[in-house]
């Protein structure tokens, strides 16, 4: 969901995990001139066609081929716990974005999937505090952003993807703890 805390959580996790890097879907938006406008005059930023998804997939695959040379890996994680000892050969890529699980070429790449949710009112409130370029029009959230979120969330649920849903109204600390614990468990399984 937009303004659910995806980027903030990813950045905090990167500081806590060994050899961790992030790829953000926001870095793959097409320029405004290439983004379609719908019949109501809304720029359609909340659809896959507004993004260079093939470039994103290529970036992820390139990272996977040579994670140690990505340049963004954490040398020494903060808060190293006993569960992370002897992990110098483990590399973690966090891919964060709002339309990741609706793009089929990406679905074969995930080890874990997390989906932050927010109720309508909270999402709208958070969105209203952000400054976007181009700026949101007053009707944009209700006329485009929220309907596209519901559409893609419904698609995800219909596909029965193995996704861990997270309540975005919980504190950042609580969400971070939940994600960190889950990732540590996943790392243990992978090492067995």
């Amino acid at each position: 969901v937009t303004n659910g805390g995806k980027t903030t959580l990813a950045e905090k996790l990167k500081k806590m995990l060994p050899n961790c890097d992030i790829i953000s879907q926001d870095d793959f938006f097409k320029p405004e001139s290439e983004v379609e406008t719908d019949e109501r005059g809304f720029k359609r930023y909340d659809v896959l066609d507004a993004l260079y998804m093939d470039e994103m997939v290529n970036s992820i695959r390139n990272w996977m081929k040579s994670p140690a040379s990505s340049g963004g890996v954490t040398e020494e994680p903060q808060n190293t716990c006993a569960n992370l000892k002897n992990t110098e050969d483990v590399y973690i890529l966090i891919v964060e974005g709002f339309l990741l699980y609706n793009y089929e070429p990406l679905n074969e790449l995930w080890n874990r999937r997390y989906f932050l949710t927010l109720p309508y009112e909270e999402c709208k409130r958070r969105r209203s505090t952000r400054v976007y370029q181009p700026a949101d029009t007053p009707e944009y959230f209700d006329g485009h952003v929220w309907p596209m979120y519901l559409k893609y969330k419904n698609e995800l649920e219909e596909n029965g993807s193995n996704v861990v849903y997270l309540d975005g109204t919980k504190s950042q600390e609580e969400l971070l703890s939940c994600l960190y614990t889950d990732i540590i468990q996943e790392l243990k399984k992978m090492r067995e």
Side-chain angles (χ1 to χ4, degrees):
V1 68
T2 182
N3 293 282
K6 300 176 296 293
T7 304
T8 302
L9 284 170
E11 291 293 337
K12 288 181 178 183
L13 281 169
K14 180 180 178 178
K15 292 177 182 175
M16 296 173 70
L17 297 167
N19 301 320
C20 186
D21 207 352
I22 299 172
I23 291 180
S24 175
Q25 192 174 35
D26 285 352
D27 294 336
F28 296 90
F29 270 109
K30 293 177 179 176
E32 183 181 0
S33 61
E34 293 182 39
V35 176
E36 293 179 20
T37 304
D38 71 11
E39 67 278 355
R40 295 163 295 176
F42 296 133
K43 282 289 190 178
R44 296 176 43 106
Y45 282 104
D46 290 64
V47 298
L48 287 167
D49 287 342
L51 298 146
Y52 293 118
M53 292 303 294
D54 290 340
E55 287 182 23
M56 183 177 188
V57 172
N58 287 339
S59 292
I60 294 168
R61 289 189 189 283
N62 287 338
W63 185 94
M64 292 171 75
K65 287 177 193 170
S66 184
S69 65
S70 69
V73 249
T74 306
E75 291 302 320
E76 190 63 39
Q78 297 174 358
N79 307 323
T80 303
C81 68
N83 293 325
L84 292 177
K85 301 298 182 208
N86 303 316
T87 57
E88 61 276 351
D89 60 337
V90 173
Y91 293 90
I92 300 168
L93 177 63
I94 298 171
V95 181
E96 65 94 7
F98 66 108
L99 288 174
L100 299 175
Y101 311 136
N102 301 87
Y103 189 66
E104 193 58 39
L106 286 174
N107 286 330
E108 65 194 52
L109 303 177
W110 311 127
N111 290 92
R112 297 296 284 158
R113 300 175 205 217
Y114 303 100
F115 191 97
L116 280 159
T117 61
L118 282 177
Y120 167 85
E121 289 297 334
E122 178 62 13
C123 187
K124 187 172 185 174
R125 185 194 67 74
R126 289 184 190 184
R127 178 88 181 202
S128 71
T129 65
R130 299 272 297 269
V131 177
Y132 289 93
Q133 249 349 354
D136 282 357
T137 62
E139 306 83 27
Y140 190 65
F141 182 84
D142 288 322
H144 178 67
V145 175
W146 190 255
M148 289 296 99
Y149 162 70
L150 293 177
K151 174 185 185 280
Y152 286 113
K153 183 176 180 276
N154 287 337
E155 280 181 16
L156 175 67
E157 291 167 350
E158 287 171 9
N159 292 338
S161 301
N162 185 20
V163 175
V164 176
Y165 289 90
L166 301 169
D167 179 354
T169 62
K170 291 187 177 179
S171 72
Q172 286 286 322
E173 293 76 23
E174 192 174 351
L175 289 169
L176 186 62
S177 175
C178 174
L179 286 167
Y180 181 77
T181 300
D182 194 60
I183 292 168
I184 296 303
Q185 293 301 315
E186 185 68 17
L187 286 172
K188 283 181 182 178
K189 286 182 204 170
M190 292 172 74
R191 295 180 75 72
E192 290 174 355

